[in-house]
Each structure stands twice: as C-alpha cells, then as structure tokens.
C-alpha cells in the first residue's frame, strides 16, 4: 500500500539530480546576494555621504555645532577623503576607539549611509572631540576648526602611507623668500599650508573685487623699509628687503580662507560682508605671474580647479550661523547642508554667498574648497 501511494521508481532515481539542481540554484542566488553586498560596500567606499540611494543626510545641531556639521559634510562628500578614511586601522582597545577622531568619523559616515531618516545625531563623534578640547556651545571659527580637525585626523592615523596620502590631498607647498635690495642676496625657506588666507583689501586698503584679485594680492611681494628692514647676511647690516611667497605645489583639494573677520582696538571683532565673487573654475596659470609661482612643467599643467564646496557664514562675527554648499561628485548637482536640513540648490543659490555689504545677516562665503580637474 505504501509502495502504491509512493513515487514511481523513475521519480526516485531523478530526485538526487533535482536536489542538486535546487542546491545549485540556491548557491547561485546566495552568490548573487554576496555580489550585491560586495557591490554595495564598494559603492559606499567610493561615494560620498549624500550620494547613496537614501539621499543627502543631515546632521542634527548638538549645541552651536553648525560649524562642525558644515565641515564634516565637506569632508564626507569628498570621495578622495572617504577612501582614506575607510582604510584606517581600527584601534583595538575600546577606550582608544572612543578617543580616535578618524574612527568616530568613519562610524558616523557609515551611520549616515545606513540611515533612512533625514538626519542623524553625531553624539559619539562630539563626545570624542570633547576629549580633545573641542567642546559644544562654543562659537568656533570655521577656518580654525578645520585646522584643528585636520590635525587631529592626521595625528591619529597610524598608517604612515595613509597619513602621507592625507597630506598630499590637502597640503599647499610654498616657498618663502627674502631678497636684499642692496646686493640681491636671497634667502629661501620651504613651508606647508592647509589653507590660503586671502585678503579682502590690498596694501592700500582698497577693496578687492574678485577672488582672482585676492589670490594675486596674496602672492604680491612686500617692500620692507625703514623700521622694517632686515639683516642681510651678505651686507652684514639691516637693508631694505623684498619679502614674498612663491607657490610651488597645489594639492588635489584646495581650501581658500577669505579673511572676512578682523579685530579693531577697543572694539568687537568686525565682519566684512561686501561682495567678493568667486568662479566655478580656477586656472592658477592665468592668475599668478611667473615670479609668483615656481612649479615644474607637469605640476603647472594640473593647476586647474573646479569649485567643490562653500562654507558660508550668516550673521555677525560674535553671533552667527554656518552652512555648507557642496557639489555632489557623482550626481553632478549642488546641495545645501544646513544642520539637519538638506536640500538641492542651484548655482544661482551658491552665488548668493558672494556677500552683500547692505545686509549684515546675509550668507557670505568664508571657506572655498576647490578640487583639481581630471586628477591623475
């Protein structure tokens, strides 16, 4: 009876082949899932925080943390930076993980990429930064905070090659020089900078009209005379000198600092709000003279840049707010990151950060981040 109800002999013989086929199909499905997962991991490694399918993700303000949030978004949207960040060595000890700025930044980046919400809280990174004396409820200057963050990241990357890559990615190399006007004896010194602090006025206190004018003014040599004369080693006495700086190497990610804040004696820090237009593309070969830069031929050929990010300040010097306008490298569009609020914007919106001397509370560009065209 059991045999009569059971499967025919032919079916029993074909059962192993059927099971094997099903296992192959299951293995193939699992292989595809693993491939998709690997592809997703590669996607996260190559793309910035706002370039995944879950859209641009904001950061909640934890207590006057708009400056920090804006700078973090500029870091995270730079795919060349996130590739370095993803290759850091994870600290073994739990206490070291809590104190590691690059590791906490990596955890925050992954949290943003997994999030289905419009914004996330960066509380663990904020706690980490407080251990390094970067505290909440402090009105930070974006240029100073950028330097502090970058130095913390660099100092805590234990892999020397990765640290060198980070240096190459952001560091500007210049040559400082001093020329005696009597005997033409020249002293030179190489130095590194993370930002170019660009003036808003020239040496005659006249307003500069464009970013190109400001760059040209920054590299303009200064005459040192009278009480400012320097000791010439060859003349063995103080002589009139020409002091200046030559640009020798530009990084892939170039940060320009517009000096919009200044301090007057017996007065509060003042903000310069007047308009200073900046272009979407910069060619340093067209801006600087041969005397202002000394690169080799290959280096000079790569001195063309596109605008990548703008950290803008609104309000007064003593009471203001920061946000960031960032170009998505993969989507080819502009986003405005204003703490937890993130929206797509146009180039016309970015141009509104040029400045306006008649409206002190309007947004004015403070940090400009340019990225090299067609990096090698």
């Amino acid at each position: 009876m059991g045999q009569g109800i059971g499967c025919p002999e032919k079916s029993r013989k074909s059962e192993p082949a059927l099971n094997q086929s099903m296992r192959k199909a299951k293995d193939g499905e699992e292989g595809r899932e693993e491939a998709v997962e690997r592809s997703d991991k590669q996607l996260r490694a190559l793309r910035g925080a706002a370039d995944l399918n879950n859209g641009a993700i904001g950061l909640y303000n934890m207590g006057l943390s708009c400056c920090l949030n804006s700078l973090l978004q500029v870091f995270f949207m730079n795919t060349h930076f996130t590739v370095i960040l993803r290759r850091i060595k994870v600290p073994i000890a739990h206490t070291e993980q809590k104190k590691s700025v690059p590791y906490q930044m990596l955890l925050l980046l992954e949290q943003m990429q997994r999030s289905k919400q419009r914004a996330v809280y960066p509380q663990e990174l904020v706690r980490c930064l407080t251990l390094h004396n970067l505290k909440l409820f402090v009105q930070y200057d974006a240029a100073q905070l950028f330097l502090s963050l970058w130095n913390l990241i660099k100092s805590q990357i234990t892999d020397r090659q990765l640290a060198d890559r980070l240096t190459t990615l952001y560091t500007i190399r210049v040559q400082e020089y001093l020329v005696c006007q009597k005997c033409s004896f020249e002293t030179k010194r190489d130095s590194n900078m993370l930002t170019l602090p660009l003036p808003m006025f020239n040496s005659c206190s006249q307003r500069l009209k464009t970013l190109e004018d400001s760059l040209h003014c920054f590299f303009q040599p200064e005459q040192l005379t009278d009480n400012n004369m320097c000791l010439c080693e060859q003349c063995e006495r103080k002589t009139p000198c020409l002091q200046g700086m030559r640009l020798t190497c530009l990084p892939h990610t170039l940060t320009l600092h517009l000096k919009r804040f200044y301090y007057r004696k017996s007065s509060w820090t003042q903000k310069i709000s007047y308009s200073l237009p900046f272009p979407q593309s910069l060619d340093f070969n067209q801006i600087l003279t041969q005397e202002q830069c000394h690169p080799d031929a290959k280096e000079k050929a790569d001195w063309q840049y596109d605008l990548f990010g703008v950290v803008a300040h609104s309000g007064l010097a003593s009471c203001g707010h920061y946000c960031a306008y960032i170009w998505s490298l993969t989507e080819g569009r502009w986003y405005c990151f204003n703490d937890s609020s993130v929206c797509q914007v146009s180039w016309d919106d970015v141009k509104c950060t040029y400045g306006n001397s008649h409206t002190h509370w309007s947004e004015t560009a403070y940090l400009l981040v340019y990225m090299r065209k067609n990096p090698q």
Side-chain angles (χ1 to χ4, degrees):
M1 183 174 176
Q3 291 180 353
I5 298 176
C7 296
E9 186 68 22
K10 183 177 181 181
S11 298
R12 285 199 297 268
K13 288 181 180 179
S14 64
E15 185 177 358
L18 180 61
N19 290 339
Q20 186 177 4
S21 176
M22 291 175 65
R23 282 196 299 271
K24 287 183 178 179
K26 184 177 181 181
D27 292 342
E29 186 177 348
E30 290 177 351
R32 285 192 295 272
E33 289 178 355
E34 291 177 358
V36 170
E37 185 176 353
R38 286 196 302 270
S39 176
D40 185 56
K41 288 181 179 179
Q42 292 173 354
L43 182 66
R44 288 195 177 98
L46 294 174
R47 293 187 172 186
D51 293 322
L52 296 176
N53 292 332
N54 57 351
I57 304 298
L59 293 169
Y60 285 109
N61 194 310
M62 301 286 291
L64 297 183
S65 63
C66 58
C67 182
L68 173 64
N69 289 346
S70 298
L71 293 174
L72 288 175
Q73 296 286 13
V74 174
F75 275 120
F76 289 156
M77 289 292 287
N78 187 342
T79 55
H80 306 279
F81 171 78
T82 56
V83 165
I84 295 174
L85 192 65
R86 288 188 172 279
R87 295 182 180 179
I88 64 170
K89 293 181 179 178
V90 177
I92 298 176
H94 181 69
T95 54
E96 293 302 314
Q97 293 178 2
K98 291 291 185 181
K99 293 191 295 185
S100 172
V101 174
Y103 178 64
Q104 292 301 327
M105 286 182 68
L106 177 59
L107 293 182
L108 177 59
L109 174 62
E110 293 179 342
Q111 180 187 358
M112 294 170 70
Q113 292 178 336
R114 291 193 306 266
S115 176
K116 300 302 179 182
Q117 306 299 320
R118 67 185 183 96
V120 300
Y121 287 94
Q123 64 265 25
E124 293 303 322
L125 175 59
V126 168
R127 290 194 187 100
C128 173
L129 292 174
T130 58
L131 299 176
H132 301 281
N133 295 320
L134 294 178
K135 303 183 184 301
L136 291 177
F137 301 102
V138 176
Q139 191 81 22
Y140 284 105
D141 177 274
Q144 294 177 353
L145 186 58
F146 168 72
L147 296 179
S148 298
L149 276 175
W150 192 92
N151 283 312
L152 279 171
I153 297 167
K154 167 78 182 303
S155 65
Q156 294 182 348
I157 293 180
T158 56
D159 187 316
R160 179 60 64 87
Q161 290 185 345
L162 279 184
D164 290 343
R165 284 182 60 180
L166 183 68
T167 299
T168 302
L169 184 61
Y170 285 97
T171 303
I172 307 158
R173 295 207 298 267
V174 297
Q175 182 187 79
E176 301 175 69
Y177 64 88
L178 189 68
V179 182
C180 175
Q181 298 296 279
K182 294 293 185 181
C183 67
S184 299
F185 179 75
E186 182 179 10
T187 57
K188 297 179 289 187
R189 183 182 69 175
D190 295 329
S191 59
N192 296 333
M193 308 174 71
L194 284 177
T195 66
L196 289 181
L198 302 182
M200 302 292 289
F201 301 93
N202 62 17
S203 57
C204 300
S205 299
Q206 297 172 328
R207 283 174 45 177
L208 297 170
K209 296 182 179 179
T210 65
L211 178 66
E212 293 89 336
D213 291 340
S214 185
L215 281 164
H216 184 75
C217 182
F218 178 80
F219 288 100
Q220 194 71 19
E222 178 185 3
Q223 292 280 354
L224 301 180
T225 59
D226 299 328
N227 293 332
N228 295 320
M229 292 191 300
C230 296
L231 179 65
C232 173
E233 296 178 15
Q234 190 160 293
C235 297
E236 296 184 342
R237 61 187 177 89
K238 287 188 175 183
T239 61
C241 293
L242 190 68
Q243 183 183 48
M245 190 179 294
R246 300 185 185 101
L247 188 60
T248 58
C249 183
L250 284 172
H252 176 271
T253 302
L254 173 65
T255 306
L256 306 178
H257 168 208
L258 303 182
K259 297 170 66 177
R260 288 193 176 273
F261 300 111
Y262 68 101
Y263 179 78
R264 287 181 176 175
K265 292 182 179 180
S266 68
S267 176
W268 294 99
T269 301
Q270 304 288 319
K271 179 182 176 182
I272 304 170
S273 299
Y274 76 75
S275 177
L276 186 77
F278 47 85
Q280 285 184 280
S281 297
L282 274 179
D283 186 351
F284 280 82
N285 299 309
Q286 303 297 323
I287 298 172
L288 303 182
T289 65
Q290 291 185 351
E291 291 76 21
Q292 293 174 326
C293 56
H294 276 192
D296 56 37
K298 182 181 182 303
E299 172 68 27
K300 194 171 182 180
D302 292 334
W303 280 15
Q304 297 183 29
Y305 286 79
D306 287 328
L307 184 65
F308 166 70
V310 178
V311 177
H313 180 272
S314 57
L316 305 177
S318 58
C319 180
H321 178 73
Y322 285 101
C323 69
Y325 294 85
I326 307 174
W327 175 259
S328 170
L329 297 175
T330 54
E331 295 183 13
R333 63 183 65 176
W334 285 98
Y335 282 98
C336 176
F337 294 84
N338 189 357
D339 286 334
S340 59
S341 175
V342 182
C343 62
Q344 185 180 334
V345 294
S346 66
W347 169 242
D348 287 335
D349 295 317
V350 180
K351 288 194 295 184
C352 290
T353 66
Y354 284 172
N356 188 336
S357 58
H358 301 293
T359 310
H360 294 293
W361 282 93
S362 64
E363 288 182 343
T364 50
Y366 187 52
L367 295 181
L368 300 175
V369 183
Y370 282 85
M371 195 166 286
R372 179 177 289 168
K373 289 185 177 181
N374 303 319
Q376 300 298 321

